[in-house]
Amino acid sequence: MPDVNANIPVLTVDGPSGSGKGTVARLVAARLGWRFLDSGALYRLLALAAEKRGVSWHDEAALSALALALEVEFVGGNADNEPTVMLSGEDVSLAIRSESCGNNASKVAALPGVREALLARQRAFREQPGLVADGRDMGTVVFPDAGTKVFLEASPEERAARRHKQLKEKGIDASLRDLVKEIAERDTRDRVRCVSPLKPAEDARVIDTTSLSIDEVVDQVMALPRSGDT
Ligand code: C5P
């Protein structure tokens, strides 16, 4: 069946944890007036839902079924504040941001059945006038036909320091040393997994953000050609 949404422009922002992709993608979406997909939040929500129900991280069938049935809602949110994330009517915006939830998300994200189950849900975000999608496999698997693809990198030390600052701002306690270890663990799992491993799409623009400000990265992304532009 032809994809009726194929003409809706998509800009993908992939990269490892702490590369700045979430913040950059949200700001780019705001500047363009496009929708925004935080695909990592879906994996985090699944991990949280599984934990609440006592589903094992290895039970691929149960996790895939849960992924299909997730009752998720993103409410509000703009360039400055993240949306309120609801899971079955409960506000879990803060709960899904902990490092342990991120780590559990990367466990469920390694299962092919789970990724397949979340595919249609992610593609449904592609609506007019366009979509900015942030994740690990946006440019390679979920939106391979995206007109603009960006892959953000940063040194592991810088990424841990950024994550530390981000968590502190949210009032979440975390030690920098633990973060360095947890981020390295999560990165390895994301990069070596068999399905949709974290890697730049062949046609992605790779930007090292280590010594760049958020605004500088946003400007670089905005300067890239977009489909539909003349
Ligand atoms: O981006 P975020 O840190 O919220 O993602 C949490 C975890 O979800 C990642 O470590 C990764 O394992 C998984 N993920 C993924 N594919 C995506 C987005 C996130 O596998 N598109």
Side-chain angles (χ1 to χ4, degrees):
M1 209 167 65
D3 181 358
V4 290
N5 292 333
N7 61 338
I8 300 174
V10 179
L11 188 158
T12 59
V13 185
D14 288 306
S17 172
S19 58
K21 68 189 160 48
T23 311
V24 167
R26 205 168 56 246
L27 289 170
V28 169
R31 279 218 209 161
L32 292 171
W34 289 7
R35 286 197 83 191
F36 171 58
L37 165 63
D38 171 6
S39 62
L42 295 175
Y43 290 94
R44 287 172 181 263
L45 282 158
L46 176 60
L48 186 67
E51 196 176 23
K52 280 179 188 285
R53 289 165 197 234
V55 179
S56 150
W57 304 129
H58 306 290
D59 190 342
E60 185 168 356
L63 289 166
S64 307
L66 191 55
L68 282 175
L70 274 188
E71 274 178 49
V72 173
E73 215 186 334
F74 294 90
V75 186
N78 55 36
D80 301 317
N81 53 48
E82 293 174 20
T84 302
V85 186
M86 309 292 289
L87 175 64
S88 302
E90 185 191 347
D91 180 353
V92 293
S93 314
L94 203 59
I96 60 163
R97 294 298 158 203
S98 72
E99 260 325 282
S100 76
C101 190
N103 221 336
N104 291 336
S106 83
K107 289 181 193 159
V108 299
L111 302 170
V114 163
R115 304 201 72 85
E116 181 62 33
L118 289 178
L119 209 48
R121 201 185 276 268
Q122 295 173 82
R123 289 187 175 146
F125 278 78
R126 187 173 194 168
E127 282 182 353
Q128 294 287 8
L131 173 70
V132 178
D134 139 31
R136 304 291 188 287
D137 62 343
M138 297 296 100
T140 50
V141 176
V142 182
F143 301 108
D145 63 333
T148 314
K149 299 181 185 180
V150 178
F151 190 91
L152 301 184
E153 285 282 12
S155 71
E157 297 76 19
E158 175 66 19
R159 292 193 285 119
R162 285 180 191 168
R163 184 58 105 208
H164 188 241
K165 184 166 169 271
Q166 219 174 31
L167 290 174
K168 251 177 91 175
E169 281 166 3
K170 287 189 201 299
I172 299 175
D173 238 4
S175 101
L176 188 58
R177 239 178 61 190
D178 290 351
L179 274 178
V180 171
K181 203 171 135 260
E182 279 170 12
I183 283 182
E185 216 177 90
R186 185 140 70 96
D187 273 2
T188 306
R189 202 182 294 126
D190 288 349
R191 285 181 206 269
V192 304
R193 70 184 174 211
C194 305
V195 280
S196 311
L198 169 66
K199 63 168 186 203
E202 270 173 23
D203 48 350
R205 173 69 64 94
V206 179
I207 303 175
D208 186 338
T209 71
T210 307
S211 53
L212 296 177
S213 71
I214 290 289
D215 284 344
E216 285 170 327
V217 183
V218 170
D219 287 344
Q220 285 197 23
V221 174
M222 289 297 296
L224 295 174
R226 283 183 296 278
S227 52
D229 288 358
T230 46

